[in-house]
Amino acid sequence: MLSLARRFVTPLYRASFLVAALESGVLRQLADGARDLDDLADGLGIAGDRQLLRAWLDLGVRFGELRFADDRYRLGSRRAKALAEPRNDSVAAALEEVVRFHVPALLTAPAMVRSGARLTMAEQDGSIIARSSRIVQPFLEEAVDRVVPRLGPVRLLEIGCGSGVYVRYAASLNPELTAVAVDYQAEVAAEAAADMARWGLRDRVQVIQADARDLAFADLFDLATMHNDIYYFERHERTALLAHVRSMLKPGGRLLLTTACKGGNLGTEVLGLWFEFADFGGPLPDSAELAQQLMDAGFTDVEVRRLIPGEQFCSFVGRNPTSLPDAEERTS
Ligand SMILES: C[S@@+](CC[C@H](N)C(=O)[O-])C[C@H]1O[C@@H](n2cnc3c(N)ncnc32)[C@H](O)[C@@H]1O
């Protein structure tokens, strides 16, 4: 029993404590220096019984995540110190995602199979996901590097823009690039729009809240991008969605799609389970199947590339043909 506690239970307790400390803002407060109970309670807006907060903080000390000396709490572990740093925000958000969404999916899967209940988009906190998706940012930027022309006007359509960081990156590569960034979740689109303004891109990037399946534009795009969102669509509807995206591209325009695929690390496999149980999405794609779906959607020159060594995290690039296949090809 003791070894079970040490090997399995304590890490679970620590992770849960750290997520609560992150989300409540306690880690950030302590990153600025040691605080006594009253300071921390004031920071959390707690007016009532502060001793309950002490009970929780003291367990954080027992887990080794905090330290307590001279009547003040401070960050204890290297982990807690690292998570409190703003530059590690995507790692902090990934831990939040694991505890808030992955663990409940594992816990409730058998009951959901029995009852037929499914997870909904409302159960996912869009801003945690937008932040945690940035954990793969350096690898995705390499993929964006390969498709954005550096000269001349470029019209980009990004579907499921999340935090909008990849649109910002594309815009940094070409000063004449303009974009439409779309996200289905209203709060995510609102945050992305605010960020575009903060980044000085309000005139170049229009952010809209919409379902990708309903998009229609008067003008066509040179490039479409979809990062970390193909599994928000059911497997059987992906070809139609990709064909719809292709219909919004100019002849010769390209799609860059990046995604975790089946068979990767445990974190992405549990993410895949979450989406299998969602009432709107589907499993992580199999890379060969997704490449075929791109071709079935009419893309040519489909290229698949592994973005993270040793991982099943891939980019898919396809081109909208410049002309229709000739009659012979179409009928054969
Ligand atoms: C995992 S996040 C990825 C965000 C961003 N692309 C990134 O990589 O950081 C997926 C995003 O796709 C958006 N999304 C899901 N279904 C969508 C749909 N049908 N139309 C437009 N956006 C959608 C979600 O709201 C979410 O913000």
Side-chain angles (χ1 to χ4, degrees):
M1 186 61 200
L2 277 178
S3 117
L4 179 78
R6 245 194 314 273
R7 290 178 52 206
F8 299 116
V9 181
T10 310
L12 192 60
Y13 286 157
R14 281 190 179 134
S16 306
F17 176 83
L18 284 170
V19 166
L22 276 163
E23 290 181 351
S24 60
V26 163
L27 280 200
R28 280 252 25 92
Q29 283 192 72
L30 294 176
D32 294 336
R35 294 271 188 278
D36 67 15
L37 181 67
D38 286 331
D39 275 350
L40 287 170
D42 288 345
L44 296 182
I46 294 172
D49 184 358
R50 297 180 163 196
Q51 291 315 311
L52 282 177
L53 180 64
R54 184 185 290 289
W56 175 75
L57 289 165
D58 287 351
L59 270 177
V61 175
R62 276 292 303 277
F63 300 150
E65 303 303 344
L66 304 183
R67 281 197 293 127
F68 185 68
D70 304 327
D71 232 12
R72 295 193 313 170
Y73 294 92
R74 62 194 74 225
L75 296 176
S77 67
R78 289 225 305 263
R79 230 180 346 253
K81 288 175 191 163
L83 288 171
E85 285 195 31
R87 71 187 159 90
N88 293 330
D89 182 65
S90 62
V91 181
L95 183 64
E96 292 177 59
E97 180 181 333
V98 165
V99 172
R100 293 266 175 236
F101 311 129
H102 293 198
V103 171
L106 286 169
L107 287 174
T108 55
M112 284 193 284
V113 175
R114 203 169 37 238
S115 68
R118 290 293 174 262
L119 298 161
T120 64
M121 184 115 50
E123 283 170 80
Q124 220 192 43
D125 181 326
S127 56
I128 293 182
I129 302 299
R131 286 165 48 224
S132 75
S133 301
R134 294 184 66 179
I135 209 156
V136 289
Q137 188 168 345
F139 303 99
L140 286 198
E141 286 181 351
E142 276 181 36
V144 174
D145 265 330
R146 283 192 281 271
V147 293
V148 173
R150 301 302 197 267
L151 290 173
V154 173
R155 284 291 285 156
L156 164 69
L157 170 65
E158 176 140 317
I159 289 166
C161 65
S163 63
V165 288
Y166 301 113
V167 175
R168 174 174 66 164
Y169 185 67
S172 76
L173 297 176
N174 178 332
E176 289 184 77
L177 180 143
T178 56
V180 177
V182 181
D183 204 283
Y184 180 66
Q185 290 178 284
E187 77 279 10
V188 176
E191 269 178 54
D195 282 341
M196 292 303 163
R198 207 159 47 80
W199 298 331
L201 290 173
R202 197 205 302 263
D203 296 341
R204 292 172 61 196
V205 181
Q206 181 193 9
V207 180
I208 57 176
Q209 185 273 317
D211 185 328
R213 289 163 285 213
D214 300 334
L215 292 174
F217 295 98
D219 295 322
L220 297 175
F221 293 86
D222 300 286
L223 179 64
T225 45
M226 295 179 67
H227 301 297
N228 300 313
D229 57 3
I230 190 66
Y231 40 86
Y232 282 70
F233 301 89
E234 289 186 40
R235 197 168 154 210
H236 68 80
E237 65 172 337
R238 290 176 189 167
T239 303
L241 170 77
L242 294 167
H244 180 51
V245 173
R246 190 175 68 76
S247 75
M248 294 184 277
L249 287 172
K250 293 176 186 169
R254 290 201 290 174
L255 166 68
L256 164 66
L257 184 158
T258 59
T259 182
C261 295
K262 261 193 202 316
N265 66 62
L266 281 184
T268 56
E269 293 289 281
V270 180
L271 175 79
L273 181 86
W274 199 100
F275 280 92
E276 284 202 60
F277 276 89
D279 66 359
F280 59 92
L284 293 185
D286 169 84
S287 55
E289 182 184 68
L290 184 55
Q292 185 60 52
Q293 285 173 325
L294 277 158
M295 291 185 265
D296 294 344
F299 284 100
T300 59
D301 308 324
V302 173
E303 272 179 27
V304 184
R305 191 186 282 251
R306 192 179 282 205
L307 294 181
I308 305 181
E311 276 301 328
Q312 292 296 333
F313 195 91
C314 300
S315 68
F316 298 76
V317 176
R319 187 179 292 281
N320 188 23
T322 43
S323 56
L324 284 174
D326 62 30
E328 199 180 311
E329 261 183 78
R330 262 181 285 154
T331 49
S332 62

